[in-house]
Amino acid sequence: MHKGQFVLERSGLEQLLQALKAEGYLTLGPTVREGAIVYDEIERLEDLPIGYTDHQEGGTYRLRRRSDEALFGYNVGPHSWKRFLHPPLLRLFRAHRVNGKLELEGEAQPIPKYAFLGVRACELRAIEVQDRVFLGGPYQDPHYKARREQVFLLALNCTQAGNTCFCTSMNSGPKAQRGFDLALTEVLENGQHYFVGQVGSERGARLLGQVAHRPAQQSEWSQAEALVAQAARSMGRQLDTEGLKEMLYHNLEHPRWEEVAARCLSCGNCTQVCPTCFCTSVEDHTDLAGQMAERTRRWDSCFTADFSYLHGGSVRVSTRARYRQWLTHKLATWQDQFGSLGCVGCGRCITWCPVGIDLTEEVAAMRASPSGQPWFTPPAGGAHV
């Protein structure tokens, strides 16, 4: 037996799902909808993308049938767990005028207890990054905090890598290292279908005690480890992070920015699918009668002209400036702000870019021919581009 590891049969996973529901969790996981694998409510195992995988390239995403009945035999789709912890649209408050007095309402819906099923290692790292953004500083986001405190995380180690994945370069996968309640590796071999698991928290151990499981044999654990190792060896992309921040700071005027700007549509797709991007804008609305006012927060993007608007106009008026802002923030100034990279190597920005712009390719091109000069010297305390 392999100490500390367990095996969950397919029927045990169903029991786990139902145990979460019995404890009041809203169970969310991958499911097939409109030609993609997205995250939505899961009532039973049959809602999972059974027998599906995905093929991804720059600007390309296609679902394909597998030759087996794997439940988690895909990589990642357009959704990330960010949409539940940091919603795309959030009502901050609503005020009504009643008999000359204002009455305030908070969020439109009560905050559920979420259980995330099938969280990949890169996505766990993305949640960790957003925890640092929203909870790590002197001012915490109460909306994020209220959601994050109640989440149950069931991680799924990757046994295959996509063509746009580069999590090994970011030290964020394919195996979940921390931040989960339970972590599973799906194994299909010789007609057997089971999950080798690891407990990551007391909450996970307590839930596991409610479902049928058994200790893992050494051969079963070794097989699971071999599958994860194979995924690590088959990454579709690589990103050299050695000295990355300094390289970008010293190439802010590199001609490559113009080349990528000629292709970029400034559509913001990369920021919408990114599991770590967090930019928002706040909007106020009133009704025609003047009896109601509402303030909402919605996702925004550094690729929109209005996002950098100050009195008199936008700061970043060109596509070149906006793409440079996004890439240098993600891979350089993010480190000054939060002490880590803002990229986890999930590859979504490559897959869902309509013209297939690849940030790993852009960085490699600048490394190959460094020729720019910084238009400022980054201060010791950090900088924003």
Side-chain angles (χ1 to χ4, degrees), residues 250-267:
H250 286 85
N251 284 281
L252 297 177
E253 297 301 327
H254 196 285
R256 186 72 182 191
W257 300 118
E258 290 290 356
E259 294 176 33
V260 71
R263 299 166 57 206
C264 178
L265 305 177
S266 284
C267 65

Side-chain angles (χ1 to χ4, degrees), residues 23-85:
E23 292 200 2
Y25 285 99
L26 177 61
T27 49
L28 302 167
T31 191
V32 175
R33 193 175 70 219
E34 297 177 0
I37 294 175
V38 300
Y39 296 144
D40 208 340
E41 187 170 358
I42 300 297
E43 294 286 346
R44 55 192 184 280
L45 288 192
E46 286 70 23
D47 294 332
L48 295 172
I50 300 173
Y52 277 99
T53 190
D54 48 22
H55 173 73
Q56 303 188 43
E57 296 285 357
T60 300
Y61 177 96
R62 295 290 185 272
L63 283 187
R64 292 180 177 174
R65 295 294 306 189
R66 294 172 58 96
S67 59
D68 55 33
E69 294 296 300
L71 304 183
F72 299 95
Y74 63 96
N75 293 300
V76 292
H79 284 180
S80 71
W81 302 105
K82 175 179 76 173
R83 67 188 296 263
F84 302 105
L85 298 174

Side-chain angles (χ1 to χ4, degrees), residues 122-153:
C122 62
E123 297 179 313
L124 283 173
R125 184 62 58 85
I127 292 172
E128 182 181 290
V129 169
Q130 288 220 313
D131 285 350
R132 196 171 295 121
V133 171
F134 290 115
L135 305 176
Y139 305 103
Q140 296 186 341
D141 185 316
H143 307 284
Y144 183 91
K145 187 172 187 288
R147 289 166 170 78
R148 181 68 178 91
E149 288 177 337
Q150 303 186 83
V151 173
F152 185 96
L153 295 171

Side-chain angles (χ1 to χ4, degrees), residues 3 17 55 83 104 158 200 235 322 360:
K3 186 177 179 181
L17 173 60
H55 173 73
R83 67 188 296 263
L104 294 179
C158 291
M235 290 286 122
R322 292 173 203 155
T360 67

Side-chain angles (χ1 to χ4, degrees), residues 156-189:
L156 238 297
N157 295 321
C158 291
T159 57
Q160 65 180 40
N163 291 328
T164 58
C165 293
F166 55 101
C167 65
T168 52
S169 298
M170 316 311 292
N171 195 30
S172 61
K175 182 178 181 179
Q177 301 292 337
R178 60 182 183 268
F180 55 83
D181 294 297
L182 293 173
L184 303 177
T185 304
E186 186 172 20
V187 179
L188 294 98
E189 63 167 354

